[in-house]
Amino acid sequence: MTAAEEQPGSAAHVLELVATGTARSRADLVRELGLAASTVSARVQELVDAGLLTESGEGASRGGRRPRLLRVPDGGTVALAADLGSHHIRTGAVGLTGTGFDIDECALDLTTGPEPAVGLLAGRLTALADRQRAAGRTVCGAGIGFPGPVDPVSGRVVAPSRMPGWHLYELRDRLAELIGLPVLVDNDANVLALGEHRAAHASLRHLVVVKAGRGIGSGVISHGRLYRGARGCAGDISHVRVDAAAERPCSCGNIGCLESVASGAAIAAALRGQGIEADSTTDILRLVEDGEPHATTLVRQAGRHIGGVLGVVVNFFNPEAVVLGGALAAAEPLVAAVRGVLYERCLPMATSELAIVAASCGPDAGLLGAGHAALRELAAEGGLPALPVVRT
Amino acid sequence: MTAAEEQPGSAAHVLELVATGTARSRADLVRELGLAASTVSARVQELVDAGLLTESGEGASRGGRRPRLLRVPDGGTVALAADLGSHHIRTGAVGLTGTGFDIDECALDLTTGPEPAVGLLAGRLTALADRQRAAGRTVCGAGIGFPGPVDPVSGRVVAPSRMPGWHLYELRDRLAELIGLPVLVDNDANVLALGEHRAAHASLRHLVVVKAGRGIGSGVISHGRLYRGARGCAGDISHVRVDAAAERPCSCGNIGCLESVASGAAIAAALRGQGIEADSTTDILRLVEDGEPHATTLVRQAGRHIGGVLGVVVNFFNPEAVVLGGALAAAEPLVAAVRGVLYERCLPMATSELAIVAASCGPDAGLLGAGHAALRELAAEGGLPALPVVRT
DNA sequence: TCTTCTTTCTTCGGCGATCGAATAAAGAAG
DNA sequence: CTTCTTTATTCGATCGCCGAAGAAAGAAGA
């Protein structure tokens, strides 16, 4: 059962079930949705007529008539997607089945201000859109994950740390103007959470997805939906005070933040302070894999600090799973340290059935999430009928 | 607009709007619910026929025909309610308008095990029910707030600390059997959150309600509904590790928990250690009001520790309000300390519109919440038609 | 081979919730 | 004394969904 919190039987819900493989025939849908067979048949017929669903042969009999298999045609609609990091961007197209096409990464320094970055991003997205259209696909919009706070209503960047010039930048509207498509912008941890939830944990209703990379963020799924909080900044664990960070100043202007001891940026800085060359999270990962002791220690300690904060979160929020994503989650010591601290500190009731796992989609998770979000929210404008906008 | 997350137009939703004064006439309901006037009229008629709603005269004209005012009759249905503390119980009846009747408190030591306590509770509730029936009211069930973890599905107590003999006790079913009415049991912080949300913050969707008394707990409202988490233990902030608690052992078996330095029990113990007589939270409050310096310092420090944990919660959950309830919330220094720490440590974005307030219903908040919850969940069985069970 | 049962899917009539237009009631404003 | 506004009801019409009946197609046993 998918945890999508839509009306059961909505077009989006049916597509979701078929796309994820949860349901392969009308009979499956009847079981999953709990609706009458007649209703499901009617709904499926609509979707087939609209070209959003196709029948593809028959499946194996289970003792009776063979089911007529349903498929989401991959050649149909896609959304462009971009996962922005502070020093690179990853772009690609995402289809209704959740598959990514034409995924590509390039260096891009967001810290030099919005205009040049957005220009380059728009260029890449436009080229990508052209290639997708040439392949016969319809492009319905673009979803962007941005490494800083975003107001999801206005699509503006709000007070990002370490990225001067971006405050209140109208990223969504500016980009939409440049590429001529509807655009959805959200925080990178939020799109990561959406992606992981859809791809690997669709049946879970309460989920915390941590993005540990150059910075630290988290996205929250509550009641099966992205939880944003009152002002849209829910999931921030980066600027929580940690004793180990003591008086250390943070980019946010406060002192003692988790980010100042446990982020990729902080680890790299600490390594450089010990005379070890390290700049990006990739460098850190390489050092850990090479068994460099300082790097391993720092990463493990970062995991402990993150675990300490997550301990509060797990007790308070009592999620079904904590998913560790972002570049640093590829480092085993970090994952192990988080696990250890959580099991040690949290209530048995909160951890007894808690899954603590690394993200399953690897580096593409955020990208796929951004595309997925765009497909859902923008499909209506782009030609899909009756895909309701999922609101939080 | 109420944040009740029901189907718009459900019987419960209509009652809620009228009971809270949000809507006073059919026309108001049309505006609030966004339904067609004909639909609202029909729904209201049903409720009037069922005796759940009455017409009471006409209101002032706003330039046209005068509205026919609607009222929730207080003489109608009530739920019994009990707010259990570890050393006392508070009982009363709660009407559909949210008013409490016949509220009373008496000493009762839960730590001596379930059977005697439940016997006494059942006796008081039965007497209460008789008095309510004598007053012409219908009693539809009882709602109980219990000071420990409760499995809301089975109505069983789960692993409460400091209360031997209660583990897996079938509190709901046992009590239902004794008083002959349907019973709802939930954690005390949860019912407190429900009560405060309904009485004072009905328009807010994301809310954290802290109960600081002999122990520390919190109830979470997310998307306008009580949030329980995966295993039903969401909102636990009591057993979060706090550095100031160092190696101090906690009743949960772990060390360094918030509870061991910031709970009423811990403060009282510390005072006794300084030769000051203090046993209950009432004693502590009295000492603080008398200006006893040690007590004031301890309470203020408890507030700081609670604030430290809430800082993580506020950044992560980004609620619209933090409500401080429980006996200790009546101590100004505690509220002030929490405020100070939150404003100092949290993201500006998370605190700029955050309300940090003491509970508005005082000592009755939990009781009213328990009654409210019971009315909603049990009304169907007790004669109210179509009051849907609100699930989390 | 010939039933009988299972599974899958469609057709069709009907129910219930809701809507919208028309109407009525009652007062405000000119 | 007419016209407009607000409030409330009545009455078809519509829409989504359900459930019964049946059709299609195969499995399994006699």
Side-chain angles (χ1 to χ4, degrees):
Chain A
M1 179 169 27
T2 318
E5 287 289 302
E6 307 130 48
Q7 297 295 339
S10 70
H13 197 176
V14 171
L15 280 185
E16 187 99 9
L17 289 171
V18 176
T20 57
T22 316
R24 303 165 49 88
S25 66
R26 291 165 177 78
D28 284 351
L29 285 169
V30 168
R31 284 184 285 267
E32 289 294 325
L33 296 170
L35 297 180
S38 46
T39 312
V40 170
S41 251
R43 180 94 51 258
V44 166
Q45 198 51 56
E46 279 175 27
L47 290 170
V48 170
D49 290 346
L52 294 171
L53 221 50
T54 45
E55 293 190 15
S56 61
E58 304 192 326
S61 164
R62 301 199 305 172
R65 174 173 171 177
R66 288 186 300 230
R68 291 157 64 187
L69 296 185
L70 300 171
R71 225 168 27 86
V72 175
D74 237 353
T77 306
V78 296
L80 308 181
D83 190 11
L84 309 194
S86 55
H87 290 80
H88 69 274
I89 58 176
R90 203 171 175 85
T91 54
V94 179
L96 285 168
T97 59
T99 338
F101 305 100
D102 204 353
I103 296 178
D104 188 25
E105 185 171 322
C106 78
L108 171 63
D109 192 350
L110 291 189
T111 61
T112 58
E115 280 304 334
V118 170
L120 192 138
L121 175 60
R124 292 183 74 85
L125 289 179
T126 306
L128 177 60
D130 289 344
R131 288 197 299 276
Q132 289 297 314
R133 293 202 187 95
R137 304 198 181 99
T138 310
V139 178
C140 77
I144 314 292
F146 181 86
V150 173
D151 173 17
V153 178
S154 67
R156 291 192 305 188
V157 174
V158 183
S161 51
R162 288 183 320 224
M163 290 190 283
W166 284 90
H167 182 52
L168 295 185
Y169 184 76
E170 306 261 358
L171 179 52
R172 182 189 63 194
D173 294 345
R174 189 78 188 92
L175 196 57
E177 193 183 312
L178 286 173
I179 66 176
L181 286 167
V183 171
L184 171 146
V185 179
D186 206 335
N187 176 264
D188 59 344
N190 283 347
V191 298
L192 176 66
L194 285 170
E196 277 294 318
H197 180 239
R198 176 177 195 282
H201 307 278
S203 65
L204 301 188
R205 292 171 55 76
H206 312 307
L207 200 62
V208 175
V209 180
V210 176
K211 175 160 184 176
R214 179 157 274 273
I216 301 173
S218 85
V220 187
I221 305 282
S222 152
H223 294 297
R225 303 191 307 205
L226 184 66
Y227 175 83
R228 297 181 189 281
R231 297 287 307 277
C233 64
D236 195 297
I237 53 173
S238 174
H239 301 290
V240 157
R241 192 161 303 187
V242 169
D243 282 312
E247 303 290 313
R248 205 178 291 215
C250 174
S251 61
C252 72
N254 219 322
I255 53 165
C257 296
L258 175 66
E259 182 173 290
S260 66
V261 289
S263 67
I267 294 175
L271 285 171
R272 285 195 302 274
Q274 296 178 337
I276 299 170
E277 201 166 318
D279 194 42
S280 64
T281 49
T282 327
D283 295 340
I284 299 173
L285 283 182
R286 187 176 34 73
L287 288 167
V288 170
E289 272 160 23
D290 289 352
E292 210 293 320
H294 293 293
T296 310
T297 305
L298 283 169
V299 164
R300 186 179 298 276
Q301 252 164 19
R304 287 224 186 82
H305 292 140
I306 295 173
V309 174
L310 285 181
V312 184
V313 167
V314 165
N315 270 1
F316 172 79
F317 190 66
N318 187 19
E320 293 162 89
V322 171
V323 177
L324 300 170
L328 288 184
E332 262 306 323
L334 186 130
V335 178
V338 170
R339 277 211 184 91
V341 173
L342 287 184
Y343 285 128
E344 180 198 337
R345 294 209 190 167
C346 294
L347 291 175
M349 202 165 163
T351 53
S352 65
E353 291 179 16
L354 176 71
I356 307 173
V357 295
S360 58
C361 305
D364 291 338
L367 183 83
L368 297 176
H372 177 225
L375 280 171
R376 304 196 107 196
E377 301 252 348
L378 305 176
E381 307 168 41
L384 299 200
L387 281 202
V389 172
V390 176
R391 295 181 26 85
T392 334
Chain B
M1 179 166 31
T2 317
E5 289 286 305
E6 308 131 47
Q7 299 294 341
S10 71
H13 196 178
V14 170
L15 280 184
E16 185 99 10
L17 289 171
V18 176
T20 57
T22 315
R24 304 162 48 88
S25 67
R26 292 165 177 80
D28 283 351
L29 285 168
V30 168
R31 283 184 285 266
E32 288 295 324
L33 296 169
L35 298 181
S38 47
T39 312
V40 170
S41 250
R43 181 92 51 257
V44 166
Q45 197 52 54
E46 277 174 29
L47 290 171
V48 169
D49 290 346
L52 294 172
L53 221 48
T54 46
E55 294 191 15
S56 61
E58 304 192 325
S61 164
R62 301 198 306 173
R65 174 174 171 175
R66 287 187 300 229
R68 291 157 65 184
L69 296 186
L70 299 172
R71 225 168 28 85
V72 175
D74 238 351
T77 307
V78 296
L80 308 181
D83 190 10
L84 309 194
S86 55
H87 291 79
H88 69 275
I89 57 174
R90 202 173 176 83
T91 54
V94 180
L96 285 168
T97 60
T99 339
F101 304 101
D102 205 352
I103 296 178
D104 189 25
E105 186 171 321
C106 77
L108 171 63
D109 192 350
L110 292 189
T111 61
T112 59
E115 280 304 334
V118 170
L120 192 138
L121 176 60
R124 292 184 72 86
L125 289 178
T126 306
L128 178 60
D130 290 342
R131 289 197 299 276
Q132 289 296 314
R133 292 204 187 92
R137 304 198 179 96
T138 310
V139 178
C140 75
I144 314 292
F146 181 85
V150 173
D151 173 17
V153 177
S154 67
R156 292 193 304 189
V157 173
V158 184
S161 51
R162 287 184 320 224
M163 289 190 284
W166 283 90
H167 181 52
L168 294 185
Y169 183 76
E170 304 259 359
L171 179 53
R172 183 190 63 193
D173 294 344
R174 190 79 187 90
L175 197 56
E177 192 183 313
L178 287 173
I179 65 175
L181 285 168
V183 171
L184 170 146
V185 179
D186 205 337
N187 175 263
D188 59 344
N190 283 347
V191 299
L192 177 67
L194 284 171
E196 278 293 320
H197 180 238
R198 176 179 193 282
H201 307 278
S203 64
L204 301 188
R205 291 171 56 76
H206 310 308
L207 200 61
V208 175
V209 180
V210 176
K211 177 159 183 175
R214 181 156 273 274
I216 301 175
S218 84
V220 187
I221 305 283
S222 151
H223 294 296
R225 304 190 306 206
L226 185 66
Y227 176 83
R228 296 182 189 281
R231 296 288 305 279
C233 65
D236 195 297
I237 54 173
S238 176
H239 302 289
V240 157
R241 191 158 306 188
V242 169
D243 283 312
E247 303 290 313
R248 204 179 292 215
C250 175
S251 62
C252 71
N254 218 322
I255 53 166
C257 295
L258 175 67
E259 181 173 289
S260 65
V261 289
S263 68
I267 294 175
L271 285 171
R272 286 195 301 275
Q274 296 179 337
I276 301 170
E277 202 167 315
D279 194 43
S280 64
T281 50
T282 327
D283 296 340
I284 298 173
L285 283 181
R286 188 176 34 72
L287 289 167
V288 170
E289 271 160 24
D290 290 350
E292 211 293 317
H294 292 295
T296 311
T297 304
L298 282 169
V299 165
R300 187 179 296 275
Q301 251 164 20
R304 286 225 184 80
H305 292 139
I306 295 173
V309 173
L310 285 181
V312 184
V313 166
V314 166
N315 271 358
F316 172 79
F317 190 65
N318 187 18
E320 292 161 272
V322 172
V323 178
L324 300 170
L328 288 184
E332 262 305 323
L334 186 129
V335 178
V338 170
R339 278 212 182 92
V341 173
L342 287 184
Y343 285 127
E344 180 198 338
R345 293 207 190 168
C346 294
L347 291 175
M349 203 164 162
T351 52
S352 64
E353 292 180 15
L354 176 71
I356 307 171
V357 295
S360 57
C361 305
D364 291 339
L367 183 84
L368 297 177
H372 178 224
L375 280 171
R376 306 197 106 197
E377 302 251 348
L378 305 177
E381 306 167 43
L384 297 201
L387 280 202
V389 172
V390 177
R391 300 186 16 89
T392 332

